[in-house]
Amino acid sequence: MSDLPSQKSWLERATTAVGIAGSLVTVALTAWNAQTKQQIDQREADLKMQTAALDAELRRRSTSVEESKERVERYKWVYGLVPELSATDGSKRNAALAMVRLALSKEEAEGLLAGLQQSPDEQVRKAAAQGVATIANIENAELVRLVSQVNAAGADERRRATGRLQRDFNDSAEAISLALKLLDASQVDKLSPSGLINVLYFLSRTDPRAWTPTEIAAANRVLPGVRARNAGPQTQAELGRVEDTVKAAGRP
């Protein structure tokens, strides 16, 4: 009978030890499960990011392929117009030149006509030289139209004109000059708030190297007046970008 308390004490210690061990195992398993879940969640997140990046790359390549196809079709169509450039009928020749300019970007059209001026056919060379001058005239008229349309009544028309100016004329001193004229004290009141932002948006995204001393002087003359109009924050922000562009243009 004297051994019973001793046996009971041993059993209690053993039970306690088993309970502690079980608790430790439970804690360890819980921690391991949490870590495993975290790793799985991280791998899933990484996989989603990789999948999204792959999808974006596939879309980009698909778009690039479609753009290449569209460019080839445009080139084929323009190639069919080349014989018209040597036509003796001036109206037919000018129509062909206008279509070439509409179908091609400024750089593409200039590249085509530069190449045609090296043609062994004298008529083609003359037509190409005339084409350069004709396209310049067409481009000037187009430029005047686009600059005026940044203040058009319709939002879509304003966006298209501003986008076209930024894309095709951001290195044009003439475009910069025409846009600055809209900010002159005698003209700026004719601009709607959207028209004013569009003018500033275009100017702020021009190539500083395209600014001549004439445009820099004009900007320094008209921009303080625009700043004094106390326009909204978006207009003020665009104005600040234009001022930065003018400063960059004036650096030696």
Side-chain angles (χ1 to χ4, degrees), residues 57-145:
E57 178 64 16
L58 289 174
R59 286 195 298 272
R60 185 190 67 79
R61 293 189 179 186
S62 177
T63 300
S64 178
V65 169
E66 291 302 319
E67 288 176 348
S68 297
K69 290 180 180 178
E70 183 270 340
R71 190 161 52 247
V72 169
E73 290 301 317
R74 282 192 297 114
Y75 291 169
K76 287 168 61 178
W77 185 75
V78 168
Y79 181 75
L81 292 173
V82 170
E84 301 293 330
L85 298 179
S86 58
T88 56
D89 185 338
S91 61
K92 183 180 292 187
R93 184 173 60 248
N94 288 340
L97 285 168
M99 297 303 290
V100 167
R101 183 64 187 92
L102 287 173
L104 300 179
S105 68
K106 178 184 176 183
E107 291 75 15
E108 291 170 340
E110 289 175 347
L112 171 63
L113 293 174
L116 291 177
Q117 289 184 76
Q118 307 303 316
S119 170
D121 188 322
E122 184 179 359
Q123 285 299 110
V124 173
R125 290 199 305 272
K126 288 182 178 179
Q130 293 173 355
V132 171
T134 301
I135 284 182
N137 291 333
I138 293 172
E139 190 172 274
N140 288 340
E142 174 74 355
L143 183 55
V144 171
R145 182 184 68 82

Side-chain angles (χ1 to χ4, degrees), residues 225-240:
V226 178
R227 174 70 71 183
R229 293 171 63 87
N230 295 322
Q234 184 178 358
T235 301
Q236 295 289 345
E238 287 299 337
L239 179 58

Side-chain angles (χ1 to χ4, degrees), residues 172-183:
S172 167
E174 184 175 358
I176 294 170
S177 178
L178 288 171
L180 287 170
K181 287 179 181 178
L182 295 178
L183 301 179

Side-chain angles (χ1 to χ4, degrees), residues 8-236:
K8 184 176 180 181
S9 176
W10 180 85
L11 287 173
E12 288 175 349
R13 288 197 301 271
T15 301
T16 301
V18 169
I20 293 173
S23 299
L24 292 174
V25 170
T26 300
V27 170
L29 287 173
T30 300
W32 183 81
N33 287 335
Q35 183 179 9
T36 302
K37 184 179 184 306
Q38 184 178 9
Q39 291 174 346
I40 292 173
D41 290 344
Q42 183 61 49
R43 288 175 183 173
E44 287 180 349
D46 292 342
L47 181 59
K48 287 180 180 179
M49 291 180 62
Q50 293 170 3
T51 301
L54 180 60
D55 288 343
E57 178 64 16
L58 289 174
R59 286 195 298 272
R60 185 190 67 79
R61 293 189 179 186
S62 177
T63 300
S64 178
V65 169
E66 291 302 319
E67 288 176 348
S68 297
K69 290 180 180 178
E70 183 270 340
R71 190 161 52 247
V72 169
E73 290 301 317
R74 282 192 297 114
Y75 291 169
K76 287 168 61 178
W77 185 75
V78 168
Y79 181 75
L81 292 173
V82 170
E84 301 293 330
L85 298 179
S86 58
T88 56
D89 185 338
S91 61
K92 183 180 292 187
R93 184 173 60 248
N94 288 340
L97 285 168
M99 297 303 290
V100 167
R101 183 64 187 92
L102 287 173
L104 300 179
S105 68
K106 178 184 176 183
E107 291 75 15
E108 291 170 340
E110 289 175 347
L112 171 63
L113 293 174
L116 291 177
Q117 289 184 76
Q118 307 303 316
S119 170
D121 188 322
E122 184 179 359
Q123 285 299 110
V124 173
R125 290 199 305 272
K126 288 182 178 179
Q130 293 173 355
V132 171
T134 301
I135 284 182
N137 291 333
I138 293 172
E139 190 172 274
N140 288 340
E142 174 74 355
L143 183 55
V144 171
R145 182 184 68 82
L146 286 172
V147 172
S148 67
Q149 285 182 334
V150 300
N151 193 44
D156 289 342
E157 190 175 4
R158 292 196 302 269
R159 281 194 293 267
R160 283 195 298 268
T162 306
R164 175 81 188 284
L165 283 171
Q166 182 191 352
R167 185 182 72 245
D168 293 340
F169 297 97
N170 70 321
D171 59 350
S172 167
E174 184 175 358
I176 294 170
S177 178
L178 288 171
L180 287 170
K181 287 179 181 178
L182 295 178
L183 301 179
D184 191 83
S186 62
Q187 299 294 322
V188 70
D189 287 335
K190 299 177 183 178
L191 293 175
S192 66
S194 296
L196 177 58
I197 288 179
N198 289 341
V199 173
L200 297 174
Y201 180 91
F202 164 64
L203 289 172
S204 68
R205 286 157 180 79
T206 53
D207 187 340
R209 294 171 296 182
W211 290 66
T212 69
T214 300
E215 280 76 53
I216 294 174
N220 289 331
R221 176 173 54 82
V222 301
L223 293 182
V226 178
R227 174 70 71 183
R229 293 171 63 87
N230 295 322
Q234 184 178 358
T235 301
Q236 295 289 345

